[in-house]
Structures are given as structure tokens and as C-alpha cells.
Amino acid sequence: MLETLVQYQQNLMLMLSAVCGTVALFVVITKTIPKKRRGRLLFLELTAMLLLMADRLAYFYRGNVTNVGWWMVRISNFSVFFLSLVILLIYNLYLRDLFTTEGGIAKLTVRLRIVEILLIIGMLMILLSQFYGFYYTFDANNRYQRGPLFYLSYIVPTLSMVLQLSVILQYYKYLSSWIRASLLLFTVVPMVASLLQIKLYGLSLTNMSIVGMAVFLYVLSLVDMNHQVEQAHKLKIEFLMEEQKSMRRLFEQTATALASAIDAKDTYTHGHSTRVADYSRMIAKQSGMDEKECNEVYYAALLHDVGKIGIPNEIINKKGKLTPEEYAMIQKHPVIGKQILSSIVEFPYLSIGANSHHERYDGKGYPDKLKGEDIPRLARIIAVADAYDAMTSKRSYRDPMPQQQVREELIRGLGEQFDPEYAKIMIHLLDMDTEYEMKEREDVKELAGNDELQVEKYRSYVSEGIWITQKLIKLHLEVSPLEGHTAEEAFGAILLFDSLDGRAHAGERQAAELCYYEYGEIWLDGRAECPGIRKMETKVTKLEKKTNAKERDGKNQSVKAYDIEVVKWLDHVRLIIYDGEQVTERILALPDSARYTYLGLTGQYCHINGISITRSEKDITEDAIPRIAEMVSYANGPVGDLPNIQIDGYRTASTKGIPIVNGMKISFHAMSLPTARLIWHIPFISVFSSEDGQIDGPSFHEYALIRIDGEYWDSGIYASNKLTVDKKEEFAGWDDWKRRNKEGIDCVVSFHVEGDQITVYTENLGISVKNVVTILDGSTTAYAALSGDQVALTDIHII
């Protein structure tokens, strides 16, 4: 190995010198390295190239006794010794520049100064050696011979590198990883090579290692600078992104503040702009818009009413009917809004939303009477969201409309007031909102803000209902007599009921319209009258008596505190009242599980305050409420291939998925529940795919949701749908439809599969429904499942 290296070392020197020359060229054209450091590297590479060329010439002319050979041997050997020290001197200057610029060290250690002095002394020693021969001499054959003090020639460079290494190790942490690696290599490798050089005569290990490390010094410096450029670029991008986020936050906060200022002009539109913006974004997302488009819709909706700034307050807040002149003034707010927002040239969509959100799909809107798809898309979305929020918010002349009535109004406006596509999405969102969360959250003040209410005569006021679900609700309240009444006259009470709007109603007409049903009353003092339930069990536990009365305002007005817990599981409710003297626990068996249950606070001649309410995050389990009555089931009919199901609310239950094959049919008996009151309280057919064949299973994609009355829903992402609905002669109207569905009907749904198309067909009570589903997501297996809303499905067979 050593002989081979000696044999080919001149070729290796030639190659390394060429590499150094090339690297020197790259140093010149490299702009990422600082100019001063680049100068040091250039001289370093050129000196290294000359060093190896001189070393090669020394070997080449060795033993050449000609006049030229005599001179070349001496010049080349002198150059080898001298240039080695020059390289270390340039490297020392390179270190000084690195530590002061990159390391940020203002005052360097004197060791680098000592190195420079040592190297200058070493150069002088080499010059003296030419005359006294203590480093090397030449024999009669013109061959290089080591002198008597040859080992001294290694002391200066070795000591210099040791001092340089000590400085590098001291300031190691101030340098980047790539620079640290290059400095350690340049210092340590030549030191090791020098030690080996003493024993390996005839091999230029030191010089070749110095040259090789000089190349690495440039390469790693370049890598380091590229890394710094990348980091700087990354930081710049991060800074710009953060700046963009900051600007967006500022824009959002400004837009929200402006929207709040607009809503503040109208007593009954608090939060209107924010809710319309939220609903609009939900519609946009469901329609398949990307995040950027959804954000544009959101901000356009947030500022859609900005033109109301230019409308007098007395017109906006007028409680009576507007005069033609006042209504004409109101109709100007879209144009005023456009004028205000058109100056924001970076966001042109803002003025579009403000100008066109009152256009109607049939062309009867204002200000431009645009029709159909001539109305900008985001304005068509805002129009639906705006109308929805208007219907679900409190007004001076009415409370929020019930969810079912809102749905009917949206259906009535399809193709007339609203774009059918976006109105259908809003209807779908409404159907999914089983807790009616998408409305103005105007919880009564005693439950949300001022936490108090006053009741004069018995049940003269009943609070808005608190919806009782499977999540445990805890209430705390205090009851005291109204001024002028005794503690014996005054009492607090709980009213349990169901209604479409979650409120108690005394008038017969309003109660009928809102399907009001009263379960009963439970007084906080322990009495109860619950004629609207099947059964009730009561357990009273006496506690160690504690005083629960306070002196208020110097008068004997008893203030009694109560803690209440209430929760529901299907058709059972558990209500616990703790008053400090006893715990009264009641289990109530409701008529069935299909109805909702609300709790309202009322009483007689009392002041109820200090109200707080908390709701558990988790549902209770079935065994949390002991069953005192048999489950009322409307799905007790014959059982077919699949278990019978009772669907108490919108898609609260469904059958398992059935793989769809060509020619398959599903037959079943459907009966709307006694609580059903709407056309769509009927069976649904879901066509979908998922990994486990179950609705809402892993990778669930719903292709179509088809109702037997002819409505359907599709995501528009995973499939396209073509629906055909035909009313036959035997169709007797929707009232007959609801009546006969309550009596029970037999249904058959057929499936025809051809390639990626699935045709679903069913005909019931004179309504034929045909829907062609074209699957777009590439799925090869589709499933069908039955579900619905307030309906029982029995005798289900797969044919």
C-alpha cells in the first residue's frame, strides 16, 4: 500500500493542485461568502496549488545534475518549506476573520498573534537554512538529504496548529457546525500527517493533507453559507407569513369591529353579521369551495350590511310598519355598502357581497334586479344565510321561528328567493343541527347574564326551556318572596315540557302550532303534578337540618338556595332537588322517547336569582337511571332480515349497510311516530361507502341521501346525482301523505347498477322517486342503509 502511494504520489499531487486551481476559480465567482473571507480562501487555495506543484517538481528534478536540475531542486524544496508556513499564516488570518465576523468576538486571544510571530520566525529559519544547511542539504548527485536539525522544521508548524486548535476549541460554540468541522479537519489532519511524515521518508503526507484540507475548507464554508442563506430565506418567509397573518388578524379584527358597530345600530340584530358570516362559510365549504374562497365568502358576509351605516337610526329601529319612503331608504343600504367597500381594491369581493345580497334568484330583488346565476355566487350564498339568520333570530314582533318552520320557508323559497343549490345545503345543515344550535343564542338572561327572574302571579312568567339530554345538567338558584308577599305565598317551580321552539305556551292556538306538550310541574318545596307522564317514583332523604334563611335589607325575607340535577335517557328523566334540608329524587317515565324534554323555571310571587348552569361533557350510561316503566317502542312489528329500528330524531338510528348489487330490492314497513308532524318525518335511503360498510364508519363517503317524498342530498364531491320526482294521479296531497304515513305504509326500494352508476327507485302513495347516482371517487363497493326522521321501520327484507 505504502509503495503504491509513493509510486503514484506525483500524479496525486498533480491532481490535487489542479483541484486547488479549480477551487480558486470557484472562490472568485462565489458571492455567498463574505468578500474578506473569500480573499483569504483564494490566497489559501492558490498557495496550496503552488505548494504541491513545488513538491512535485522537487521529486521530478531529484538526482538531476544538470544546471537546470541544480536550481530547480533548490528552488522547489525551499518553496515547499516556505509555502507550508505561508498557508498556515493565511489560515491564521482566516480564523481571525471568522471569529470576529461570524463568532462576534470583538477581542481575540493573543494566541493567534503568537502564531503569526512563530510563523514569521519559522520563515526566517528556512531562509537561514539555505546558507547553513541545518534543515536539509543536497548530496553530489543533487538529491535532498535531511539536515542535523531537520526535526526543528516541524516544531514551528506543529506548535502553530496546536495554538490554533486551542483557540478553535475555546470558541467552538460561537461557530456553526459546518465551519467547526472544516476548522477541526484543517488543523488536526495535517498535525497527524506531520507526525507520520517524520517516520515515512519520501512521502509528502503533510503537504498533501494541507492541500486536501484547504479544499475541504472552501467546500464546507460554501455549504455553511448556503445553509445560512437557506435559514435567512426561511426566516424571511416565516417573517412574511407572520406579517401576513398579523395583517389578516388586523383585517379580521377591523372587519369584526365594523360589523359589530353596524349591528349595534339595530336593537334586534346583535351578532347578526357574525352569524351570517359563519353560516355563509359553512354553505361555501359544503358546496366544495377551497379555503381561500370560503374565507372570501366569510368576510364578504361579515360586512354585507355595512351600508346600514348610512341609514338613519330611527328608520332601522322603527317598531311599526315602514312607510314606502322609509322602505325605499332601507333599500339603499346595499348601494351605500358597495360605495364604502369599493375603495378596498385589494378585496373586491367585499363590495360585491354588500351590493348583491338582497338580489333574488327569480329577479325580483334589489338593487339591480339580477336573476339566477347573473347574481354573483357569494351573494347568492349570503342571501340564504342572511334569510336563515333573520328567521332564527328574535325580532321586536316575534320570537325566533321554530326549526321546522324555518325549513319549510327555505323549501318554499327554492328557485324563487334562493339559489336552489345553496338553499338545499342550508336545509341539509339545518337537518344535521338536531340541537338547533344554529340560531341567535339569546338564552334568557337569568340563565346567561343577569341570572335572575321575577314571577308575579302563578306561572305568569316561565323561562326559556333548558334542553334536557343525556348530558347531566346542574343548576344552582336562590328563591325569595317578592316584596309584599310572605314566604308561605311564594314558591319556585320547575315546568317540564316539549315544544318546537323550546318555550312554554299558554294560548291554545300557539300551543297547537308549536306542538306544545306539558309533562307536568314539580315545585321546589316537594310537591308535584305530572299528568303528562306514564309513571313517577319519588325518593326523599332527610338531611341534618341546616338554617337556609338570610336576613335581607333588615326584613324577614327568607332566601332559600337549591341545587338541581337533571338528565334524560330515552324515555326516562331523573330529577334531583337538594334544598339543604332534604334530597328529593324523582324518576319520571315519559310517554315515549321521541319527544324532547325542556325544563323551564317559574313559580309564584317569587324572585329567582343567583342562577348558574353547567352541563357535563359526557353522556350518561343506560344504567344511570333505573327503569320504572317498559320502553315504549313503535318498532315491535315482524322482524325480517335486519333488526327493526325506531328513529326518534333526524337520523338518530339506521340499519347496517347492505352491499348494493344489480337488481337488489329492500322491502320494509314504515310508520311515522305519533310525534311526527311534518312531511319529511319519513324513511330515508342512504347510498354510501365506508371501510366497514357502516354509516359513519372509517373513510365514510355519502353519495346520496334520498327521502321517499322526493328530496335528496348529495355532497357534490364524491358523487353526482340526477333526481326525478313524479306525482301520480293517486297522490292525494300532503295532508293525506302525513296521515297515511302515521297509519303505516309498505315500501319497496329497488337498485340497478351499471358501471359506476346506481339507480335507486321507489314509489309510495303516488310519489315516484328515481335517483341516478354517479360515483366519482373510484369506489367499487357501495352500500345502502335505511334511516329517517321520527319513523319506525319494521319487517325489513333484502330481496
Side-chain angles (χ1 to χ4, degrees), residues 24-25 27-28 37-47:
L25 179 63
V27 170
V28 173
R37 199 182 308 170
R38 196 164 72 240
R40 304 274 197 269
L41 283 173
L42 176 63
F43 283 114
L44 190 67
E45 300 299 335
L46 290 175
T47 306

Side-chain angles (χ1 to χ4, degrees), residues 372-387:
E373 295 192 2
D374 291 338
I375 305 169
R377 181 173 63 167
L378 60 80
R380 283 179 272 148
I381 292 173
I382 296 170
V384 174
D386 191 29

Side-chain angles (χ1 to χ4, degrees), residues 17 40 75 119 140 166 188 283 302 316 343 418 481 512-513 526 555 567 664 677 733 741:
S17 61
R40 304 274 197 269
I75 293 171
L119 291 173
S166 69
V188 173
I283 295 170
L302 190 64
I316 290 177
S343 59
F418 310 122
E513 288 177 351
K555 300 177 182 179
V567 70
M664 182 181 80
R677 52 196 172 269
N741 269 286

Side-chain angles (χ1 to χ4, degrees), residues 484-654:
H485 296 276
T486 65
E488 288 72 24
E489 292 178 293
F491 59 82
I494 289 171
L495 184 65
L496 298 177
F497 63 90
D498 178 28
S499 70
L500 294 181
D501 64 349
R503 297 170 185 265
H505 299 283
E508 289 185 11
R509 182 179 175 183
Q510 195 174 32
E513 288 177 351
L514 296 171
C515 301
Y516 179 71
Y517 182 88
E518 192 168 303
Y519 300 111
E521 288 178 89
I522 298 173
W523 288 270
L524 298 181
D525 60 10
R527 296 172 292 158
E529 287 186 11
C530 298
I533 64 173
R534 291 183 289 148
K535 187 178 180 181
M536 179 170 64
E537 289 187 0
T538 304
K539 178 183 177 182
V540 179
T541 304
K542 294 289 184 179
L543 302 174
E544 182 181 345
K545 192 169 182 179
K546 298 178 181 178
T547 301
N548 199 348
K550 304 176 184 176
E551 292 293 319
R552 176 186 283 184
D553 301 329
K555 300 177 182 179
N556 277 328
Q557 291 189 321
S558 178
V559 178
K560 198 161 187 179
Y562 296 90
D563 287 295
I564 301 167
E565 292 185 6
V566 61
V567 70
K568 180 185 178 185
W569 180 270
L570 298 178
D571 59 345
H572 276 49
V573 171
R574 185 186 72 201
L575 177 67
I576 301 174
I577 301 174
Y578 168 82
D579 65 2
E581 298 176 1
Q582 64 184 30
V583 178
T584 305
E585 179 180 3
R586 284 187 167 88
I587 308 296
L588 296 85
L590 307 180
D592 53 46
S593 59
R595 296 181 187 275
Y596 282 17
T597 305
Y598 294 94
L599 181 153
L601 297 177
T602 186
Q604 175 179 288
Y605 302 130
C606 66
H607 181 213
I608 303 176
N609 67 347
I611 302 171
S612 64
I613 176 170
T614 58
R615 189 184 294 268
S616 172
E617 294 292 327
K618 295 182 179 180
D619 291 348
I620 62 167
T621 56
E622 185 175 4
D623 58 1
I625 302 179
R627 180 163 286 281
I628 61 173
E630 290 296 319
M631 176 75 178
V632 174
S633 175
Y634 300 100
N636 286 331
V639 179
D641 298 326
L642 297 177
N644 298 344
I645 57 172
Q646 179 174 315
I647 308 158
D648 294 326
Y650 179 77
R651 300 184 74 180
T652 54
S654 61

Side-chain angles (χ1 to χ4, degrees), residues 135 160 169 218 238 409 611 769:
Y135 280 173
S160 298
L169 293 176
Y218 165 73
E238 289 177 356
E409 289 296 326
I611 302 171
V769 180

